[in-house]
PDB file of all heavy atoms in Angstrom:
ATOM      1  N   ARG A1293      29.219  29.615 -42.525  1.00 88.00           N
ATOM      2  CA  ARG A1293      28.140  28.684 -42.927  1.00 88.00           C
ATOM      3  C   ARG A1293      28.566  27.240 -42.958  1.00 88.00           C
ATOM      4  O   ARG A1293      27.771  26.371 -43.279  1.00 88.00           O
ATOM      5  CB  ARG A1293      27.648  29.082 -44.296  1.00 88.00           C
ATOM      6  CG  ARG A1293      27.021  30.464 -44.324  1.00 88.00           C
ATOM      7  CD  ARG A1293      26.628  30.872 -45.717  1.00 88.00           C
ATOM      8  NE  ARG A1293      25.827  32.089 -45.679  1.00 88.00           N
ATOM      9  CZ  ARG A1293      25.189  32.600 -46.694  1.00 88.00           C
ATOM     10  NH1 ARG A1293      25.283  32.001 -47.875  1.00 88.00           N
ATOM     11  NH2 ARG A1293      24.472  33.690 -46.584  1.00 88.00           N
ATOM     12  N   PRO A1295      30.689  23.737 -41.240  1.00 92.00           N
ATOM     13  CA  PRO A1295      30.501  22.974 -40.004  1.00 92.00           C
ATOM     14  C   PRO A1295      30.990  23.709 -38.768  1.00 92.00           C
ATOM     15  O   PRO A1295      30.403  23.555 -37.670  1.00 92.00           O
ATOM     16  CB  PRO A1295      31.297  21.702 -40.239  1.00 92.00           C
ATOM     17  CG  PRO A1295      32.092  21.909 -41.482  1.00 92.00           C
ATOM     18  CD  PRO A1295      31.449  22.984 -42.260  1.00 92.00           C
ATOM     19  N   ARG A1302      25.006  26.153 -32.869  1.00 95.00           N
ATOM     20  CA  ARG A1302      24.127  25.139 -32.250  1.00 95.00           C
ATOM     21  C   ARG A1302      24.576  24.901 -30.814  1.00 95.00           C
ATOM     22  O   ARG A1302      23.740  24.780 -29.910  1.00 95.00           O
ATOM     23  CB  ARG A1302      24.256  23.844 -33.077  1.00 95.00           C
ATOM     24  CG  ARG A1302      23.372  22.730 -32.617  1.00 95.00           C
ATOM     25  CD  ARG A1302      21.975  22.955 -33.075  1.00 95.00           C
ATOM     26  NE  ARG A1302      21.073  21.928 -32.560  1.00 95.00           N
ATOM     27  CZ  ARG A1302      19.815  22.104 -32.301  1.00 95.00           C
ATOM     28  NH1 ARG A1302      19.239  23.270 -32.521  1.00 95.00           N
ATOM     29  NH2 ARG A1302      19.063  21.129 -31.835  1.00 95.00           N
ATOM     30  N   PHE A1360      24.709  16.666 -33.432  1.00 94.00           N
ATOM     31  CA  PHE A1360      24.414  17.606 -34.517  1.00 94.00           C
ATOM     32  C   PHE A1360      25.102  17.216 -35.810  1.00 94.00           C
ATOM     33  O   PHE A1360      24.488  17.099 -36.872  1.00 94.00           O
ATOM     34  CB  PHE A1360      24.831  19.012 -34.101  1.00 94.00           C
ATOM     35  CG  PHE A1360      24.682  20.032 -35.217  1.00 94.00           C
ATOM     36  CD1 PHE A1360      23.433  20.403 -35.678  1.00 94.00           C
ATOM     37  CD2 PHE A1360      25.824  20.629 -35.771  1.00 94.00           C
ATOM     38  CE1 PHE A1360      23.311  21.350 -36.687  1.00 94.00           C
ATOM     39  CE2 PHE A1360      25.687  21.562 -36.767  1.00 94.00           C
ATOM     40  CZ  PHE A1360      24.435  21.926 -37.229  1.00 94.00           C
ATOM     41  N   GLY A1370      21.352  11.281 -43.483  1.00 85.00           N
ATOM     42  CA  GLY A1370      21.991  12.302 -44.310  1.00 85.00           C
ATOM     43  C   GLY A1370      23.478  12.241 -44.355  1.00 85.00           C
ATOM     44  O   GLY A1370      24.126  13.156 -44.884  1.00 85.00           O
ATOM     45  N   ASP A1372      25.283  10.555 -46.227  1.00 85.00           N
ATOM     46  CA  ASP A1372      25.722  10.572 -47.637  1.00 85.00           C
ATOM     47  C   ASP A1372      26.004  11.990 -48.122  1.00 85.00           C
ATOM     48  O   ASP A1372      26.958  12.204 -48.852  1.00 85.00           O
ATOM     49  CB  ASP A1372      24.642   9.924 -48.509  1.00 85.00           C
ATOM     50  CG  ASP A1372      24.718   8.415 -48.507  1.00 85.00           C
ATOM     51  OD1 ASP A1372      25.812   7.892 -48.256  1.00 85.00           O
ATOM     52  OD2 ASP A1372      23.693   7.773 -48.735  1.00 85.00           O
ATOM     53  N   ASP A1375      29.311  13.178 -46.516  1.00 84.00           N
ATOM     54  CA  ASP A1375      30.487  12.519 -47.046  1.00 84.00           C
ATOM     55  C   ASP A1375      30.824  12.995 -48.464  1.00 84.00           C
ATOM     56  O   ASP A1375      31.961  13.023 -48.861  1.00 84.00           O
ATOM     57  CB  ASP A1375      30.301  11.014 -47.031  1.00 84.00           C
ATOM     58  CG  ASP A1375      30.402  10.438 -45.628  1.00 84.00           C
ATOM     59  OD1 ASP A1375      30.953  11.154 -44.766  1.00 84.00           O
ATOM     60  OD2 ASP A1375      29.932   9.329 -45.391  1.00 84.00           O
ATOM     61  N   ARG A1376      29.791  13.319 -49.204  1.00 86.00           N
ATOM     62  CA  ARG A1376      30.087  13.759 -50.571  1.00 86.00           C
ATOM     63  C   ARG A1376      30.509  15.230 -50.652  1.00 86.00           C
ATOM     64  O   ARG A1376      31.362  15.614 -51.439  1.00 86.00           O
ATOM     65  CB  ARG A1376      28.844  13.575 -51.474  1.00 86.00           C
ATOM     66  CG  ARG A1376      29.159  13.908 -52.915  1.00 86.00           C
ATOM     67  CD  ARG A1376      28.222  13.256 -53.868  1.00 86.00           C
ATOM     68  NE  ARG A1376      28.759  13.449 -55.230  1.00 86.00           N
ATOM     69  CZ  ARG A1376      28.504  14.503 -55.961  1.00 86.00           C
ATOM     70  NH1 ARG A1376      27.734  15.471 -55.501  1.00 86.00           N
ATOM     71  NH2 ARG A1376      29.015  14.619 -57.191  1.00 86.00           N
ATOM     72  N   LEU A1377      29.921  16.029 -49.775  1.00 86.00           N
ATOM     73  CA  LEU A1377      30.159  17.483 -49.893  1.00 86.00           C
ATOM     74  C   LEU A1377      31.416  17.925 -49.115  1.00 86.00           C
ATOM     75  O   LEU A1377      32.029  18.908 -49.498  1.00 86.00           O
ATOM     76  CB  LEU A1377      28.955  18.260 -49.345  1.00 86.00           C
ATOM     77  CG  LEU A1377      27.692  18.170 -50.208  1.00 86.00           C
ATOM     78  CD1 LEU A1377      26.522  18.787 -49.470  1.00 86.00           C
ATOM     79  CD2 LEU A1377      27.928  18.918 -51.522  1.00 86.00           C
ATOM     80  N   GLN A1378      31.727  17.226 -48.067  1.00 82.00           N
ATOM     81  CA  GLN A1378      32.829  17.698 -47.215  1.00 82.00           C
ATOM     82  C   GLN A1378      34.178  17.433 -47.864  1.00 82.00           C
ATOM     83  O   GLN A1378      34.477  16.343 -48.303  1.00 82.00           O
ATOM     84  CB  GLN A1378      32.763  16.984 -45.860  1.00 82.00           C
ATOM     85  CG  GLN A1378      31.835  17.645 -44.907  1.00 82.00           C
ATOM     86  CD  GLN A1378      32.247  19.065 -44.587  1.00 82.00           C
ATOM     87  OE1 GLN A1378      33.387  19.308 -44.270  1.00 82.00           O
ATOM     88  NE2 GLN A1378      31.323  19.983 -44.712  1.00 82.00           N
ATOM     89  N   ARG A1379      35.004  18.478 -47.871  1.00 74.00           N
ATOM     90  CA  ARG A1379      36.334  18.330 -48.454  1.00 74.00           C
ATOM     91  C   ARG A1379      37.327  17.810 -47.450  1.00 74.00           C
ATOM     92  O   ARG A1379      38.322  17.202 -47.792  1.00 74.00           O
ATOM     93  CB  ARG A1379      36.807  19.676 -48.975  1.00 74.00           C
ATOM     94  CG  ARG A1379      36.246  20.035 -50.291  1.00 74.00           C
ATOM     95  CD  ARG A1379      36.329  21.494 -50.566  1.00 74.00           C
ATOM     96  NE  ARG A1379      35.393  22.247 -49.744  1.00 74.00           N
ATOM     97  CZ  ARG A1379      35.085  23.517 -49.902  1.00 74.00           C
ATOM     98  NH1 ARG A1379      35.678  24.201 -50.833  1.00 74.00           N
ATOM     99  NH2 ARG A1379      34.209  24.107 -49.134  1.00 74.00           N
ATOM    100  N   GLN A1629      35.912   4.865 -46.379  1.00 61.00           N
ATOM    101  CA  GLN A1629      35.045   5.801 -47.107  1.00 61.00           C
ATOM    102  C   GLN A1629      34.253   5.171 -48.218  1.00 61.00           C
ATOM    103  O   GLN A1629      33.044   5.286 -48.269  1.00 61.00           O
ATOM    104  CB  GLN A1629      35.908   6.931 -47.682  1.00 61.00           C
ATOM    105  CG  GLN A1629      35.884   8.161 -46.832  1.00 61.00           C
ATOM    106  CD  GLN A1629      34.523   8.783 -46.840  1.00 61.00           C
ATOM    107  OE1 GLN A1629      34.131   9.446 -47.777  1.00 61.00           O
ATOM    108  NE2 GLN A1629      33.744   8.608 -45.788  1.00 61.00           N
ATOM    109  N   ARG A1630      34.913   4.591 -49.197  1.00 50.00           N
ATOM    110  CA  ARG A1630      34.184   4.175 -50.401  1.00 50.00           C
ATOM    111  C   ARG A1630      34.098   2.661 -50.484  1.00 50.00           C
ATOM    112  O   ARG A1630      35.053   1.973 -50.431  1.00 50.00           O
ATOM    113  CB  ARG A1630      34.871   4.716 -51.636  1.00 50.00           C
ATOM    114  CG  ARG A1630      34.818   6.229 -51.707  1.00 50.00           C
ATOM    115  CD  ARG A1630      35.579   6.753 -52.893  1.00 50.00           C
ATOM    116  NE  ARG A1630      35.015   6.246 -54.133  1.00 50.00           N
ATOM    117  CZ  ARG A1630      35.693   6.175 -55.266  1.00 50.00           C
ATOM    118  NH1 ARG A1630      36.930   6.582 -55.320  1.00 50.00           N
ATOM    119  NH2 ARG A1630      35.129   5.692 -56.361  1.00 50.00           N
TER     120      ARG A1630
ATOM    121  N   ARG B 106      24.917   5.632 -56.660  1.00 91.00           N
ATOM    122  CA  ARG B 106      25.989   5.855 -55.690  1.00 91.00           C
ATOM    123  C   ARG B 106      27.367   5.772 -56.374  1.00 91.00           C
ATOM    124  O   ARG B 106      28.269   6.544 -56.068  1.00 91.00           O
ATOM    125  CB  ARG B 106      25.946   4.779 -54.573  1.00 91.00           C
ATOM    126  CG  ARG B 106      24.834   4.952 -53.563  1.00 91.00           C
ATOM    127  CD  ARG B 106      24.918   3.900 -52.486  1.00 91.00           C
ATOM    128  NE  ARG B 106      26.060   4.108 -51.633  1.00 91.00           N
ATOM    129  CZ  ARG B 106      26.065   4.982 -50.616  1.00 91.00           C
ATOM    130  NH1 ARG B 106      25.000   5.681 -50.338  1.00 91.00           N
ATOM    131  NH2 ARG B 106      27.145   5.135 -49.875  1.00 91.00           N
ATOM    132  N   ALA B 109      27.939   8.851 -58.268  1.00 91.00           N
ATOM    133  CA  ALA B 109      28.163  10.008 -57.392  1.00 91.00           C
ATOM    134  C   ALA B 109      29.515   9.905 -56.702  1.00 91.00           C
ATOM    135  O   ALA B 109      29.873  10.774 -55.911  1.00 91.00           O
ATOM    136  CB  ALA B 109      27.058  10.092 -56.354  1.00 91.00           C
ATOM    137  N   GLY B 110      30.235   8.818 -56.963  1.00 89.00           N
ATOM    138  CA  GLY B 110      31.562   8.666 -56.336  1.00 89.00           C
ATOM    139  C   GLY B 110      31.504   8.175 -54.920  1.00 89.00           C
ATOM    140  O   GLY B 110      32.475   8.292 -54.203  1.00 89.00           O
ATOM    141  N   ARG B 111      30.378   7.675 -54.506  1.00 86.00           N
ATOM    142  CA  ARG B 111      30.236   7.224 -53.124  1.00 86.00           C
ATOM    143  C   ARG B 111      30.327   5.699 -52.977  1.00 86.00           C
ATOM    144  O   ARG B 111      30.198   5.190 -51.894  1.00 86.00           O
ATOM    145  CB  ARG B 111      28.894   7.691 -52.544  1.00 86.00           C
ATOM    146  CG  ARG B 111      28.739   9.172 -52.469  1.00 86.00           C
ATOM    147  CD  ARG B 111      29.739   9.829 -51.522  1.00 86.00           C
ATOM    148  NE  ARG B 111      29.808   9.121 -50.264  1.00 86.00           N
ATOM    149  CZ  ARG B 111      30.917   8.876 -49.593  1.00 86.00           C
ATOM    150  NH1 ARG B 111      32.058   9.237 -50.085  1.00 86.00           N
ATOM    151  NH2 ARG B 111      30.877   8.258 -48.451  1.00 86.00           N
ATOM    152  N   ALA B 127      34.684  10.128 -58.354  1.00 87.00           N
ATOM    153  CA  ALA B 127      35.065  10.651 -57.042  1.00 87.00           C
ATOM    154  C   ALA B 127      35.934  11.900 -57.141  1.00 87.00           C
ATOM    155  O   ALA B 127      36.376  12.437 -56.119  1.00 87.00           O
ATOM    156  CB  ALA B 127      35.807   9.586 -56.258  1.00 87.00           C
ATOM    157  N   ARG B 132      32.293  17.668 -57.567  1.00 88.00           N
ATOM    158  CA  ARG B 132      31.366  17.912 -56.442  1.00 88.00           C
ATOM    159  C   ARG B 132      30.311  18.951 -56.788  1.00 88.00           C
ATOM    160  O   ARG B 132      29.164  18.857 -56.376  1.00 88.00           O
ATOM    161  CB  ARG B 132      32.136  18.352 -55.201  1.00 88.00           C
ATOM    162  CG  ARG B 132      32.741  17.219 -54.423  1.00 88.00           C
ATOM    163  CD  ARG B 132      33.407  17.666 -53.165  1.00 88.00           C
ATOM    164  NE  ARG B 132      33.839  19.038 -53.210  1.00 88.00           N
ATOM    165  CZ  ARG B 132      33.408  19.991 -52.432  1.00 88.00           C
ATOM    166  NH1 ARG B 132      32.506  19.699 -51.518  1.00 88.00           N
ATOM    167  NH2 ARG B 132      33.862  21.199 -52.539  1.00 88.00           N
ATOM    168  N   VAL B 135      28.319  17.794 -60.511  1.00 93.00           N
ATOM    169  CA  VAL B 135      27.433  16.636 -60.480  1.00 93.00           C
ATOM    170  C   VAL B 135      26.622  16.697 -59.171  1.00 93.00           C
ATOM    171  O   VAL B 135      27.208  16.757 -58.087  1.00 93.00           O
ATOM    172  CB  VAL B 135      28.225  15.327 -60.531  1.00 93.00           C
ATOM    173  CG1 VAL B 135      27.290  14.108 -60.388  1.00 93.00           C
ATOM    174  CG2 VAL B 135      29.028  15.230 -61.822  1.00 93.00           C
ATOM    175  N   LEU B 145      21.342  17.397 -40.841  1.00 91.00           N
ATOM    176  CA  LEU B 145      21.241  18.707 -40.168  1.00 91.00           C
ATOM    177  C   LEU B 145      19.800  19.216 -40.145  1.00 91.00           C
ATOM    178  O   LEU B 145      19.508  20.361 -40.521  1.00 91.00           O
ATOM    179  CB  LEU B 145      22.138  19.760 -40.876  1.00 91.00           C
ATOM    180  CG  LEU B 145      23.603  19.334 -41.059  1.00 91.00           C
ATOM    181  CD1 LEU B 145      24.342  20.366 -41.855  1.00 91.00           C
ATOM    182  CD2 LEU B 145      24.281  19.109 -39.727  1.00 91.00           C
ATOM    183  N   VAL B 147      18.002  20.205 -37.907  1.00 92.00           N
ATOM    184  CA  VAL B 147      17.649  21.274 -36.981  1.00 92.00           C
ATOM    185  C   VAL B 147      17.924  22.640 -37.607  1.00 92.00           C
ATOM    186  O   VAL B 147      17.701  23.668 -36.974  1.00 92.00           O
ATOM    187  CB  VAL B 147      18.444  21.159 -35.655  1.00 92.00           C
ATOM    188  CG1 VAL B 147      17.981  19.962 -34.887  1.00 92.00           C
ATOM    189  CG2 VAL B 147      19.922  21.121 -35.885  1.00 92.00           C
ATOM    190  N   TRP B 156      24.228  26.374 -46.321  1.00 92.00           N
ATOM    191  CA  TRP B 156      25.325  25.456 -46.019  1.00 92.00           C
ATOM    192  C   TRP B 156      25.773  24.713 -47.277  1.00 92.00           C
ATOM    193  O   TRP B 156      26.961  24.616 -47.565  1.00 92.00           O
ATOM    194  CB  TRP B 156      24.907  24.474 -44.931  1.00 92.00           C
ATOM    195  CG  TRP B 156      25.838  23.309 -44.823  1.00 92.00           C
ATOM    196  CD1 TRP B 156      27.145  23.341 -44.434  1.00 92.00           C
ATOM    197  CD2 TRP B 156      25.574  21.938 -45.137  1.00 92.00           C
ATOM    198  NE1 TRP B 156      27.679  22.083 -44.489  1.00 92.00           N
ATOM    199  CE2 TRP B 156      26.738  21.177 -44.888  1.00 92.00           C
ATOM    200  CE3 TRP B 156      24.422  21.256 -45.569  1.00 92.00           C
ATOM    201  CZ2 TRP B 156      26.827  19.822 -45.095  1.00 92.00           C
ATOM    202  CZ3 TRP B 156      24.499  19.885 -45.768  1.00 92.00           C
ATOM    203  CH2 TRP B 156      25.684  19.185 -45.538  1.00 92.00           C
ATOM    204  N   ILE B 157      24.805  24.217 -48.036  1.00 93.00           N
ATOM    205  CA  ILE B 157      25.152  23.526 -49.285  1.00 93.00           C
ATOM    206  C   ILE B 157      25.926  24.447 -50.196  1.00 93.00           C
ATOM    207  O   ILE B 157      26.969  24.062 -50.770  1.00 93.00           O
ATOM    208  CB  ILE B 157      23.887  23.048 -50.019  1.00 93.00           C
ATOM    209  CG1 ILE B 157      23.105  22.005 -49.190  1.00 93.00           C
ATOM    210  CG2 ILE B 157      24.178  22.544 -51.422  1.00 93.00           C
ATOM    211  CD1 ILE B 157      23.651  20.615 -49.262  1.00 93.00           C
ATOM    212  N   GLU B 160      29.478  24.755 -48.983  1.00 90.00           N
ATOM    213  CA  GLU B 160      30.251  23.553 -49.254  1.00 90.00           C
ATOM    214  C   GLU B 160      30.630  23.426 -50.737  1.00 90.00           C
ATOM    215  O   GLU B 160      31.651  22.870 -51.072  1.00 90.00           O
ATOM    216  CB  GLU B 160      29.493  22.286 -48.823  1.00 90.00           C
ATOM    217  CG  GLU B 160      29.225  22.182 -47.340  1.00 90.00           C
ATOM    218  CD  GLU B 160      30.489  22.100 -46.509  1.00 90.00           C
ATOM    219  OE1 GLU B 160      31.581  21.987 -47.090  1.00 90.00           O
ATOM    220  OE2 GLU B 160      30.390  22.177 -45.267  1.00 90.00           O
ATOM    221  N   ASN B 165      28.617  33.884 -50.762  1.00 91.00           N
ATOM    222  CA  ASN B 165      27.414  33.971 -49.917  1.00 91.00           C
ATOM    223  C   ASN B 165      26.232  34.628 -50.634  1.00 91.00           C
ATOM    224  O   ASN B 165      25.113  34.100 -50.598  1.00 91.00           O
ATOM    225  CB  ASN B 165      27.727  34.754 -48.640  1.00 91.00           C
ATOM    226  CG  ASN B 165      28.539  33.903 -47.677  1.00 91.00           C
ATOM    227  OD1 ASN B 165      28.826  32.755 -47.948  1.00 91.00           O
ATOM    228  ND2 ASN B 165      28.943  34.511 -46.575  1.00 91.00           N
ATOM    229  N   ASP B 169      22.815  32.825 -51.585  1.00 93.00           N
ATOM    230  CA  ASP B 169      21.525  33.330 -51.056  1.00 93.00           C
ATOM    231  C   ASP B 169      20.516  33.519 -52.184  1.00 93.00           C
ATOM    232  O   ASP B 169      19.357  33.135 -52.075  1.00 93.00           O
ATOM    233  CB  ASP B 169      21.726  34.655 -50.329  1.00 93.00           C
ATOM    234  CG  ASP B 169      22.477  34.480 -49.000  1.00 93.00           C
ATOM    235  OD1 ASP B 169      22.626  33.283 -48.603  1.00 93.00           O
ATOM    236  OD2 ASP B 169      22.900  35.471 -48.429  1.00 93.00           O
TER     237      ASP B 169
END
Side-chain angles (χ1 to χ4, degrees):
Chain A
R1293 296 175 169 189
R1302 183 78 185 151
F1360 174 69
D1372 278 335
D1375 285 342
R1376 184 157 190 274
L1377 290 171
Q1378 277 298 312
R1379 280 160 287 192
Q1629 261 293 283
R1630 294 176 61 201
Chain B
R106 287 183 70 82
R111 298 296 313 139
R132 278 184 335 117
V135 177
L145 307 175
V147 292
W156 166 64
I157 295 280
E160 296 297 354
N165 285 357
D169 290 349

